[in-house]
């Protein structure tokens, strides 16, 4: 049983920033996310794409924003359970909650903050017969441990940033990397496209376009793939097939928790604190809806701030918190560190 003050479901930018705001209030957080790394869409879909509407950053790469948020919350020592999805919730007699993941991990907290972005992400699977049979037998939709592909023959399918980035990375890990895309053009960062071109010219990446994987072969593990290239069929041998066609957002099991749902989003009270119809459960960021809702990261940051103030009152009933600016109060981490502005020097002029 993992016990915490606030269980945050979703490790996207809103969920990460909530850790900081909770830390200022001396509240501990644990983050649960179905993806294998923090950052949500920013890490999984477009880590190298620039964002232009983050205050104070005329331009910041999505991956760099995640890195900055992780650095910002480090001193508050949040717990992370990644690669697991929130499955069930049970309300206790004292008003707290026990959430159980799809892998059986249990979390106990008086406050739940759902910050799941557009929901839990599920990989878009290619329409290939028997592909489910080969899942975990050579078919991978996520790359959690690149060393698993050391000296293996890997085929990656896709035309976006993820397909490009992992092809580049695995070129120095796998014995053979083949990138297949149904078009000649790739939709990804220009430097990634150029790097793949360089690696292709150097013989470190095999590029097959326009082409499509139409079949998988192997008795107990992926042994080869059937591909269609310019109307012709051929077979290529491999050890792993990694289709990277993006992710499909779904509210998932959270939709069965008795929360008020509207168009696949959770309705909240935006006039006060972004609490749902169940006291103690909040929804912040893209996962919620209310009149005038804007699905922007900066709006999620604002919602996280007000949510933490309300969470403080639930966890510390009757105790008043006096808001202080961090430039005045400084920031005390749970790890013993302290950040504060330099104090003025008192000295007489003679």
């Amino acid at each position: 049983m993992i016990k915490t003050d606030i269980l945050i479901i979703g490790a996207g930018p809103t969920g990460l920033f909530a850790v900081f705001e909770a830390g200022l209030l001396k509240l501990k957080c644990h983050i649960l996310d179905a993806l294998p790394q923090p950052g949500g869409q920013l890490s999984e879909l477009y880590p190298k794409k620039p964002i232009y509407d983050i205050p104070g950053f005329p331009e910041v790469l999505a991956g760099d924003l995640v890195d900055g948020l992780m650095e910002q919350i480090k001193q508050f020592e949040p717990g992370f359970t990644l690669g697991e999805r929130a499955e069930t919730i049970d309300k206790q007699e004292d008003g707290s909650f026990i959430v159980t993941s799809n892998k059986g991990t249990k979390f106990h907290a008086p406050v739940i903050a759902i910050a799941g972005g557009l929901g839990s992400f599920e990989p878009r699977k290619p329409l290939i017969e028997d592909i489910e049979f080969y899942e975990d037998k050579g078919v991978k939709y996520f790359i959690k441990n690149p060393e698993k592909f050391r000296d293996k023959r890997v085929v990656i399918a896709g035309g976006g940033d993820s397909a490009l980035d992992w092809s580049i990375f695995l070129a120095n890990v796998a014995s053979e990397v083949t990138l297949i895309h149904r078009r000649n053009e790739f939709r990804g960062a220009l430097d990634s496209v150029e790097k793949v071109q360089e690696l292709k010219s150097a013989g470190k990446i095999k590029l097959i376009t326009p082409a499509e994987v139409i079949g998988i072969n192997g008795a107990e593990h992926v042994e080869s793939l059937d591909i269609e290239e310019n109307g012709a069929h051929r077979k290529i041998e491999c050890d792993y097939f990694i289709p990277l066609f993006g992710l499909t957002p779904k509210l998932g099991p959270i939709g069965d928790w008795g929360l008020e749902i509207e168009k696949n989003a959770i309705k909240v009270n935006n006039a006060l604190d972004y609490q749902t119809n169940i006291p103690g459960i909040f929804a912040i960021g893209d996962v919620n809806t209310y009149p005038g809702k804007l699905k922007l990261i900066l709006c999620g940051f604002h919602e996280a701030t007000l949510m933490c103030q309300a969470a403080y009152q639930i966890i510390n009933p009757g105790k008043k918190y006096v808001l202080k600016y961090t430039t005045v109060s400084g920031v005390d981490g749970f790890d013993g560190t302290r950040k504060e502005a330099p104090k003025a020097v008192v000295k007489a002029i003679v």
Side-chain angles (χ1 to χ4, degrees):
M1 183 79 71
I2 296 173
K3 294 187 177 182
T4 188
D5 293 322
I6 304 176
L7 175 64
I8 300 173
I9 300 174
T14 296
L16 295 178
F17 187 68
V19 174
F20 177 78
E21 288 297 321
L24 294 179
L25 301 171
K26 309 300 182 189
L27 301 178
K28 287 283 289 184
C29 294
H30 192 94
I31 297 181
L32 169 65
D33 197 294
L35 292 175
Q37 73 285 313
Q41 296 181 68
L42 275 64
S43 296
E44 193 65 27
L45 299 183
Y46 48 91
K48 290 190 174 182
K49 288 190 176 179
I51 303 173
Y52 300 104
D53 60 354
I54 303 299
F57 291 91
E59 178 181 334
V60 60
L61 294 181
D64 290 345
L65 178 59
V66 173
D67 291 342
L69 287 165
M70 290 293 288
E71 179 64 28
Q72 187 177 27
I73 66 176
K74 185 168 64 174
Q75 67 182 140
F76 293 124
E77 300 181 319
F80 284 91
T81 299
L82 303 173
E84 298 187 29
R85 184 183 65 239
E87 197 78 16
T88 62
I89 188 168
D90 295 295
K91 192 163 187 175
Q92 307 302 294
E93 289 185 5
D94 63 356
S96 63
F97 304 92
I98 291 180
V99 172
T100 304
S101 79
N102 62 316
K103 295 187 178 178
T105 309
K106 292 184 180 294
F107 310 85
H108 186 200
V111 172
I112 307 294
I114 303 171
L118 297 172
S120 63
F121 288 97
E122 297 181 7
R124 289 194 177 97
K125 301 179 181 181
L127 298 176
I128 299 174
E129 188 176 355
D130 296 330
I131 191 168
E132 286 81 9
F133 172 79
Y134 292 101
E135 290 172 358
D136 293 325
K137 298 176 184 176
V139 170
K140 299 288 184 183
Y141 302 109
F142 300 108
I143 298 177
K144 298 181 181 179
N145 179 16
E147 282 300 312
K148 188 179 186 71
F149 308 100
R150 174 72 62 182
D151 300 327
K152 302 295 185 181
R153 298 166 300 175
V154 177
V155 174
I156 295 175
D161 283 314
S162 292
L164 292 165
D165 291 345
W166 280 117
S167 295
I168 294 167
F169 187 91
L170 292 179
N172 294 315
V173 176
S175 62
E176 182 179 289
V177 173
T178 302
L179 176 59
I180 296 176
H181 184 38
R182 59 186 176 182
R183 300 186 181 91
N184 291 319
E185 300 80 19
F186 287 84
R187 295 177 64 87
L190 181 59
D191 62 329
S192 297
V193 176
E194 292 175 345
K195 183 64 176 177
V196 167
Q197 181 66 56
E198 291 174 12
L199 291 169
K200 178 197 171 188
S201 300
K204 299 197 73 174
I205 289 180
K206 294 181 180 180
L207 188 62
I208 305 177
T209 60
E212 195 170 355
V213 177
I214 58 174
I216 305 174
N217 309 297
E220 295 296 329
H221 194 278
V222 173
E223 296 176 5
S224 66
L225 302 175
D226 295 323
I227 67 170
E228 182 177 329
E229 181 182 8
N230 292 319
H233 291 192
R234 68 183 175 105
K235 185 175 293 187
I236 57 174
E237 294 183 347
C238 67
D239 301 302
Y240 287 96
F241 173 44
I242 309 172
L244 298 173
F245 297 139
L247 302 168
T248 301
K250 292 184 179 179
L251 202 52
I254 290 175
D256 300 323
W257 286 7
L259 300 167
E260 194 173 352
I261 307 295
E262 183 179 283
K263 295 181 179 178
N264 207 42
I266 302 170
K267 291 185 71 174
V268 295
N269 173 12
N270 68 306
L272 189 61
D273 53 17
Y274 305 97
Q275 199 159 188
T276 68
N277 59 305
I278 300 178
I281 301 181
F282 299 78
I284 53 177
D286 288 356
V287 76
N288 74 16
T289 186
Y290 52 82
K293 169 68 179 182
L294 295 176
K295 293 183 183 295
L296 297 172
I297 294 173
L298 61 93
C299 294
F301 289 166
H302 165 75
E303 294 166 10
T305 305
L306 296 188
M307 179 277 294
C308 288
Q309 295 288 326
Y312 181 86
Q313 295 302 324
I314 292 174
I315 296 168
N316 302 285
K319 189 175 181 180
K320 189 175 181 182
Y321 173 75
V322 179
L323 176 67
K324 294 181 180 179
Y325 301 117
T326 54
T327 50
V328 175
S329 64
V331 178
D332 291 306
F334 298 152
D335 58 358
T337 61
R338 177 171 173 79
K339 297 177 181 177
E340 61 181 332
K343 288 186 167 49
V345 176
V346 179
K347 187 176 181 181
I349 299 177
V350 295

